Amino acid sequence: MADKEKTKKFINRLKSRNIVRPMVNKMYAEGVTAANEGRPLAWSMVNWWEGDIVMRAMGVTPVYPENYGTVCASTGMAQKYQAICDAEGFPTHLCGYSRNHIGYAAEMKKLGKIPPDAPLGGMAEPTFMLGSGIACDTRFKWFQALRQYYDVPVWTIDTPSYDHTEDIDSDIHEHNIRHKVKELERFIEFLENLLGKKIDMDLVEDYLENQEKVFQLWWEINELRKAKPCPMHSRDFWTLMVPGYYMTYDKDALNLYHQVYEEVKARTDAGIGAVTPEKYRLMFAELPPWHSLDFFEKLAERGWNFVVESQGYHPPEPMSLKTGDSVLERLTRWTYWVNVGHIRKAKEKNYPLFGPVQYYYNWAREYQVDGFITHSLLSCRTATFWLPHAANILKEELLVPSMNMEGDIVDFTVFDPDLVLKNAEAFEESMDYHRGERKRKGLEW
Amino acid sequence: MKGKYFAGIDIGSTMTKVIIYSEGIRGQVIGPTGPEHRHLANIVMEDALAQARIPFEAVDYVVATGYGRINVPFADKQITEISCHARGVLHFFPNAGTVIDIGGQDAKGIKIANNRVVDFVMNDKCAAGTGRFLEVIAETLGVNIKDMGPLSLKARNKVKISSICTIFAEQEVVSQLSEGIPVEDIIAGLHEAIAGRAFRMASKLKIEGDVVFTGGVAKNTGMVKALESHLGRPVYICREPLITGAMGAALLGKELVEKAMESGKAIKIKERKLTTARVF
C-alpha cells in the first residue's frame, strides 16, 4: 500500500529478484527516450507476446499501461490518477488499471508533458496504441476511450474465444491458429504503413527463439516450486513475471531466468523454503493486491507460504511445435497455447473442464496446497467470475478449503487487510480440518 | 476440571459479553462496548466475577474473542470469534451444522462438521445487513428497536426495500412513511432485506445440518421469521443469542488447559491484573 510503514520481513526473498527492478526502470526509461528521439512508442496491452515481438522487430518501443497500473498502485500514485479519472466522468466500477491510466493520460494532456511526479519517469505520448482481444473487452475499449486525449491510431489484435472444450477435439484449433496468423499479418501491414518500413522476419525469429528459451526456463523454475518446503514465494513470482511478460525478446531476460533457476534449484536441493516453518501451502487466485503486497509478510509470519498463483501470469507449458510452421505460426501458437494448453491437460487427466479452474485444480494436486485464497476484484469481471466455482470444485473434490478476500488490483481503499488477518486463524482451523479429511480419504497430501 | 474457572470475553462492535464457566455458567454479563472497549472490558468482567462470586485471581484461564479481542489486557489468549462462536453454538446445539450470526456491525456464516469449523464467510464492510442497519431505521421510524420484531409480525403488505445502502435505505423509508405506508409493513420489508442478505451470504457455504441463528439480531422475532422463510427450515436460537462467542471462548480456554494437563506441559498464563487500559 502507499503506506510506507516498515513491515517486518518473514519471506525469504530470492536475491536474483533484485535484477528485475533495474530492468523495469530501463523499460520505462527507454519509452521516454524513444519518444524524445522521435522513435515510435506504443502504449500496449499485455498481448501474450505475439504483438510485442512484432513491435520490437519494427523498432517500436512498447510500454504497458496495465503494468504501469501496478507501478502506480505500489507507489501510492494510483489514488491520484483514479481521482482524476473519476473527475473526468468515468464510472468507478471500470477496470482499476484503466482508471489509473485514463487519469494519468488526462493529467498528461492537461499539463502538456509527462507529469513530473509520475512513477518511473512516466509514459510519454504514444505513436499508436495496441489493444488485445484476449481476456476482456476492456482491453480494447479503454484505448478507444483514450483517443479523446490522444488521437493516435488504435489497433487491436483479435483472438478467438479460447476456453472451449471443443477446441482440442476438432480442427477448430488449427482454424484459430490460421485466424491469429492473419491477425498478425494485418498488424504487420498496419505497422509497415504507419512507420514506412518493412519488417525484418529474421529478427522476429531471433526474438522468438529467445522467447522460447525464456518460457522453458521460467516454466522449469515454477516446477521447482513443487518442492516441500517451497523455495520461492508468490511475491517473488509477481516480481519475476515482469520480464517473462514484457521482455521475452531480450537476452537480459534470459540471463535473469538462468540466475533465478540456479538460485531456486540450490534452495530446493538444500531444502530451504521461502517461509520457515512452512506450516501451510497456499495457492492464490488471481490478480494480487498490488498496493498491499507487504501484507503477505504478515501471513508469512503465520507460516503461510504461497507456492503457486495467478494462472494468467504463468508461462505456457512446453509444447511440441509443428515442423514446417512459419515464424508467425510458431509465434501465435505460443500465445494460443498459453490459453488452451491447460484444457488439453485437463482433458487428458479427466479434470473438471471450466476455464481457469482447470489450472487451479491441477496445481492444487501438483503443489499439494492446503488452502486456496481467492481475491475477488471489484473492478475485474474476468478475474473474478470463475472464483466461486474454483473454490467449490477444490473443496468438494480435493478437500482444499478456500478463503475469499475482497479488494482491487489498484484501489487500496476497498481492501481490508485487517479483516483477512482477523480471519486467518479461523481459516487455519479449516485447513487443519481438511488436511485430516484428505488423509482420511486417501488423497496424496 | 472440578473447581476450575474459565472466563470468555467477547468484545463485539456494540456489546461486550462475559461468561464465567465452571461445570456450567457461573456468571454471564452483557454490557455495551462503548467507544473505548479497553476501558469497559474490565468493568463487564468485574460484574461477571461478582455474579460467580469469585475474585479475578480465581480464574484459571481467560480467552478473549470478538472484534476487540486484541485489546483485552487481562486475557491469556485471543481466539478468533469464528472459532469461538462455533464452539459456543455446539455447546448449546450439538447437531448444529450452520451458524448465521448477525451482530451490531457484521454478519457471518460458519459451517461446522465433526465439531470443527470447516468454512466461514463474513461481511463486515457494509452496515446494511447488520444490527446497525435496524438501529438506524428504528430511530428514523421512532420505534424502540425491541418492538420491531413484534410489530413486523402484524404486517399485511410488506414493502420492498430496494436500496442496498443504509443511508439510502433510510431515505427510502422516510419516503415510504410520507406516502402513508404502515410502519409494520416497512419494518417487515427491512427484515426481509436483511434476511435475504444473510441467506445469500450463508448459502455460499452450502447450508447443512441444524441452522443456529446467533447475535443480537436473533432476538428479533420478525427477523427470525424472515430468515426461516428464506431458508425453508426452522432456525435454532439460544435463550441468550448474544453469548455464544463468550461461551465458546470460555470452553476453548478450558479445553486448552485440559489438553496441556493431559500432555504434562505447562500452559502459558499471563501475569494479569484486572485493570483498565486506555488508548485515548
Side-chain angles (χ1 to χ4, degrees), chain A residues 392 395-396 402-403 406 414 416 419 422-423 425-427 429-430 432-434 437, chain B residues 67 69 78-83 106 113-114 116-120 122 124-125 206:
Chain A
N392 289 340
K395 192 157 59 187
E396 285 162 15
S402 68
M403 182 169 79
E406 289 180 2
V414 293
D416 182 356
L419 175 65
K422 199 169 88 172
N423 289 339
E425 192 183 327
F427 188 58
E429 194 175 328
S430 179
D432 290 339
Y433 169 82
H434 284 92
E437 286 294 287
Chain B
Y67 138 90
R69 67 180 184 269
Q78 285 83 27
I79 298 179
T80 171
E81 61 265 42
I82 291 164
S83 302
D106 72 16
N114 303 327
R116 294 181 71 172
V117 172
V118 175
D119 204 354
F120 61 92
M122 200 161 187
D124 79 342
K125 284 193 169 178
K206 296 197 181 355

Side-chain angles (χ1 to χ4, degrees), chain A residues 117-167:
Chain A
D117 55 357
L120 302 188
M123 296 185 294
E125 185 177 338
T127 312
F128 69 95
M129 295 185 245
L130 177 63
S132 167
I134 298 175
C136 70
D137 54 352
T138 303
R139 293 172 8 91
F140 51 89
K141 288 290 172 197
W142 145 15
F143 279 174
Q144 289 166 1
L146 272 180
R147 288 186 79 167
Q148 66 182 284
Y149 303 104
Y150 292 102
D151 191 14
V152 298
V154 174
W155 191 267
T156 299
I157 302 179
D158 182 37
T159 200
S161 181
Y162 46 73
D163 268 341
H164 295 160
T165 312
E166 291 78 5
D167 179 88

